[in-house]
Amino acid sequence: MNTSTTRKRGWSTVFRWVFALALMLAGAHALTQPQVAGRAFDHLKTGFALTGVHVSAQCESCHVNGVFRGTPKDCVSCHISGNRISRGNVVITPTHMPTQQSCDSCHNTRSFMGARFDHMGIAAGSCASCHNGTVAKGKSPGHIPTQAACDSCHKSTSTWNSARPDHNTFSAATNCASCHDGRTASGKTGTHIPVGSTNCTSCHATTAWKPTRFNHTQVTTVNQCSTCHSGAYRPADGKSVTHTPYERISGLAIANCDTCHKAGFSSWTPARLHAAVTVSNQCATCHIGSKPNTNIHASVTGNCEACHKSTGNWSSASVDHSTFNTTTNCASCHNGSTATGKSGTHIPVGATNCIGCHATNTWRPSRFNHTQVTVINQCSTCHSGAFPPADGRTANHIPYQTLSGVAITNCDNCHKGGFAAWTPARFHGNVSVSTQCASCHNGSYPPAVAKPNTPTHVGVTTCESCHRSTTSWLTVVFGHSPANAVGTGTCDTCHNGTTAKGKTPTHIPVTTGVAKCDSCHRSQTSFATAVAMNHTVVSTATCKSCHNGSYVSQGTTGALAKPVNHIPEIQLLNGTSMDCKACHTSTTSWGSMRMNHNASLGGGAGWCKACHATGTNFLGRMDKKSPTHKTTNPPATDCSNAGCHRPLGNKGATFVEWD
């Protein structure tokens, strides 16, 4: 190196020191002098704002050797060991948690201490990679022993204390006390119920200590309640200061709470002292000050049991009224204050004594003594509805007052129960009502029966036209007059088997829609009388369809069938197509008949002698003789071949006359 170069470097060094000194003096002067607009240096224009501790930092701590250009603006370029700018700066430690984030993600320029790490995006279960006691705070020496990840209990990234272990997998076999010992985690208090080695989960839920349910089945509890329920162990409450002093009752030995408290370890109440032990004539021992300040109790000097016979209810007290009589002034106690008195709706009885109607052992049921007052024709004085239980006339009571000419002055006109009962009331037996039935019998006043909804009753407005009795609807005589809309051919409008009596199953078959009841039944009072059979309405032209014994008319013998000794049809052309009308030509009389032999002739079934031989008993006016009554040589085998009678002989008319 030559002297010229050395000299140049020396002057250069001197110049830099002088320049730096000038900067320092200028800076010092600027610190001691107030800012002057336009002369103060605005560091923000460099793109790096001076905040926090940077405000008071010396310029040369960053601008080393007076070098301004190229000064780094990021934290790590200064706050890292080995850098020319890092002298005196806080630098990242060797144990700093590994991160790729910039310093100001957690630190600020006020202080590196108290950095707030943003846990956003940290993978679940990876807490221990930093929280290991070296890089960041880890488990304390007294931490609950566990291999679970931190975030399985510590759900907050801002505080450790909000940790809540997940007890869902714990069971009755879990040793809760291994953690809940009062140091590692909350344990039993000094006033905890003595449970020995019973596990916490027997009573406490895994999600919270409270509320807790003591499981009495875990321990022997029969006759041992006071072991815990003494008042020393919370929340097991003990006997209160106002508890029944059973110890003072002579002869009464109560060993333990559950003698009276029978709620099955779930509740103190209801407790039943009297149901558990027998106490007699000692009520006042416990029921001190219970007697109310009334006239009745003021005069009682004996024990409670004199009136209160039940150990379960005070209200069932029954004063011994056995010595009371009609001269007893009941109202001296039964005045509504001392004891139950007359209500505001009590029947007006004046000065009549209570015992006149009420029994001495109970108010109800009471029997009003109607002989105590004048009641004839005065029922409505009380029975107006204003004095229960004296019931009055109901809203749907028969409106007798609207019936013209009917004067009913009081209830007992109809109600004849002798003051004992309203029913049975007989309206018609007491007043005369004619042609006004519908005034009551319209369905609005039960039990007055109303007109049913049937075709018979449609258009009928006066019940009396058919119902002639005031005691029974069923004794009805229907008026079939035209005034009741009954005319010729209209019977089956009602007589259809539903509205009124109709045809029976064995009725003679008639043409539907053509045959009307009054075609044959000419009486409007009876089906059975004056029946004139009208064969024009019969649905068949074959006589034997009806005259076979199967059909019976209303109250008559019906369609007559052949008698047993009728001439057999087999004799008349074997009966192959014979009908009654072949001989019986009249529909009004069987007797007006004309015998039709249908060319019966010759031997066999058609022989004449089958009916005309002597000794036959068939009906009819035919002559009966022996086939040989005229000649025996040659002997005749039948009337038809004897050579006398037509058609084979010469006498008479064929099948009509013998000679």
Side-chain angles (χ1 to χ4, degrees):
M1 183 181 298
N2 57 34
T3 303
S4 176
T5 302
T6 302
R7 186 179 294 114
K8 288 180 180 179
R9 288 182 177 175
W11 279 109
S12 177
T13 301
V14 173
F15 176 79
R16 285 197 297 269
W17 278 105
V18 172
F19 181 74
L21 180 60
L23 284 176
M24 293 175 63
L25 290 175
H29 180 74
L31 291 174
T32 59
Q33 299 294 325
Q35 281 191 341
V36 180
R39 296 181 61 189
F41 178 69
D42 186 0
H43 202 280
L44 184 60
K45 293 180 178 180
T46 66
F48 186 84
L50 296 179
T51 60
V53 296
H54 291 141
V55 174
S56 59
Q58 296 295 322
C59 300
E60 61 271 16
S61 62
C62 293
H63 300 288
V64 180
N65 298 328
V67 178
F68 290 89
R69 190 177 299 276
T71 302
K73 298 177 181 179
D74 57 315
C75 305
V76 71
S77 298
C78 295
H79 296 280
I80 189 171
S81 60
N83 189 293
R84 64 184 180 87
I85 307 175
S86 63
R87 292 193 302 269
N89 292 337
V90 178
V91 297
I92 189 168
T93 63
T95 59
H96 192 283
M97 65 178 64
T99 178
Q100 299 299 318
Q101 297 183 24
S102 62
C103 303
D104 54 2
S105 297
C106 301
H107 300 275
N108 56 58
T109 59
R110 291 189 298 276
S111 173
F112 268 84
M113 306 307 294
R116 300 289 291 179
F117 181 69
D118 185 359
H119 291 79
M120 185 68 68
I122 301 300
S126 64
C127 302
S129 62
C130 293
H131 292 283
N132 51 21
T134 302
V135 176
K137 187 176 181 179
K139 288 190 291 188
S140 64
H143 192 281
I144 295 173
T146 178
Q147 298 300 317
C150 306
D151 51 358
S152 62
C153 297
H154 299 275
K155 303 297 183 182
S156 172
T157 59
S158 60
T159 176
W160 290 110
N161 295 333
S162 61
R164 291 191 63 82
D166 185 2
H167 292 77
N168 289 332
T169 59
F170 293 4
S171 65
T174 302
N175 183 11
C176 303
S178 62
C179 292
H180 290 281
D181 54 8
R183 297 183 304 278
T184 305
S186 302
K188 289 188 294 185
T189 63
T191 58
H192 194 281
I193 295 174
V195 292
S197 58
T198 303
N199 199 11
C200 307
T201 54
S202 299
C203 301
H204 297 276
T206 58
T207 55
W209 283 113
K210 297 178 181 179
T212 178
R213 291 286 291 181
F214 182 71
N215 188 347
H216 290 81
T217 61
Q218 297 279 337
V219 292
T220 303
T221 56
V222 178
N223 293 328
Q224 297 183 42
C225 303
S226 59
T227 303
C228 297
H229 292 283
S230 62
Y233 304 105
R234 293 287 182 258
D237 47 346
K239 189 170 64 173
S240 65
V241 293
T242 58
H243 194 280
T244 301
Y246 55 82
E247 307 90 344
R248 295 186 351 224
I249 303 175
S250 60
L252 182 58
I254 299 182
N256 205 55
C257 310
D258 51 1
T259 302
C260 298
H261 298 276
K262 303 290 187 181
F265 313 129
S266 61
S267 174
W268 284 115
T269 55
R272 303 292 289 177
L273 172 68
H274 302 93
V277 295
T278 301
V279 181
S280 61
N281 297 323
Q282 299 182 59
C283 300
T285 303
C286 297
H287 295 283
I288 303 169
S290 300
K291 188 169 68 170
N293 185 21
T294 62
N295 292 339
I296 293 177
H297 292 87
S299 61
V300 176
T301 57
N303 208 350
C304 310
E305 298 87 348
C307 297
H308 299 277
K309 306 296 184 181
S310 171
T311 59
N313 188 357
W314 285 112
S315 301
S316 61
S318 179
V319 179
D320 186 4
H321 294 76
S322 60
T323 59
F324 295 2
N325 54 42
T326 54
T327 64
T328 302
N329 184 10
C330 303
S332 62
C333 290
H334 291 283
N335 52 25
S337 300
T338 305
T340 306
K342 288 188 296 185
S343 66
T345 58
H346 193 281
I347 294 174
V349 292
T352 304
N353 200 7
C354 307
I355 204 169
C357 300
H358 298 276
T360 57
N361 56 357
T362 180
W363 284 113
R364 296 178 181 176
S366 63
R367 297 288 291 178
F368 183 72
N369 189 346
H370 290 81
T371 62
Q372 299 266 345
V373 291
T374 303
V375 293
I376 298 176
N377 291 329
Q378 296 183 42
C379 304
S380 58
T381 302
C382 296
H383 293 283
S384 62
F387 307 105
D391 47 345
R393 195 174 62 204
T394 61
N396 58 357
H397 192 281
I398 293 176
Y400 57 83
Q401 61 274 12
T402 65
L403 305 179
S404 60
V406 178
I408 299 180
T409 57
N410 207 55
C411 309
D412 51 2
N413 280 41
C414 297
H415 298 277
K416 303 291 186 179
F419 313 130
W422 285 111
T423 54
R426 301 295 291 174
F427 178 71
H428 300 93
N430 299 286
V431 294
S432 178
V433 181
S434 61
T435 68
Q436 297 184 60
C437 302
S439 299
C440 297
H441 293 281
N442 54 25
S444 299
Y445 308 104
V449 179
K451 183 176 68 173
N453 185 21
T454 62
T456 303
H457 293 84
V458 173
V460 177
T461 57
T462 55
C463 310
E464 302 84 355
S465 60
C466 298
H467 300 275
R468 307 299 170 84
S469 171
T470 58
T471 59
S472 174
W473 284 110
L474 301 180
T475 56
V476 58
V477 178
F478 184 72
H480 293 80
S481 65
N484 280 344
V486 176
T488 303
T490 62
C491 304
D492 53 354
T493 303
C494 295
H495 291 283
N496 50 27
T498 302
T499 306
K501 191 174 184 179
K503 288 188 297 186
T504 64
T506 58
H507 192 280
I508 293 173
V510 294
T511 304
T512 302
V514 175
K516 299 293 183 179
C517 304
D518 51 1
S519 298
C520 300
H521 301 276
R522 304 300 171 84
S523 172
Q524 293 186 346
T525 58
S526 173
F527 278 116
T529 59
V531 176
M533 183 61 200
N534 184 356
H535 287 81
T536 62
V537 297
V538 178
S539 61
T540 176
T542 305
C543 301
K544 60 170 74 171
S545 297
C546 296
H547 293 283
N548 53 26
S550 299
Y551 299 100
V552 180
S553 295
Q554 303 280 359
T556 67
T557 54
L560 294 176
K562 284 189 308 183
V564 294
N565 59 345
H566 190 279
I567 293 175
E569 293 179 14
I570 193 172
Q571 296 300 126
L572 308 174
L573 201 58
N574 289 330
T576 54
S577 60
M578 294 292 290
D579 186 48
C580 307
K581 62 186 177 184
C583 299
H584 300 277
T585 58
S586 172
T587 58
T588 59
S589 173
W590 287 110
S592 57
M593 59 182 176
R594 178 179 179 82
M595 186 63 191
N596 185 349
H597 291 81
N598 289 319
S600 178
L601 180 66
W607 284 5
C608 302
K609 67 179 182 181
C611 295
H612 291 281
T614 303
T616 57
N617 62 349
F618 296 114
L619 291 176
R621 298 187 301 275
M622 74 285 286
D623 291 338
K624 299 178 181 178
K625 293 182 179 181
S626 168
T628 59
H629 70 98
K630 286 294 183 179
T631 178
T632 59
N633 187 21
T637 58
D638 185 59
C639 309
S640 62
N641 64 5
C644 298
H645 305 288
R646 291 182 186 276
L648 300 181
N650 298 316
K651 295 181 179 181
T654 304
F655 304 136
V656 177
E657 296 180 293
W658 287 111
D659 46 37

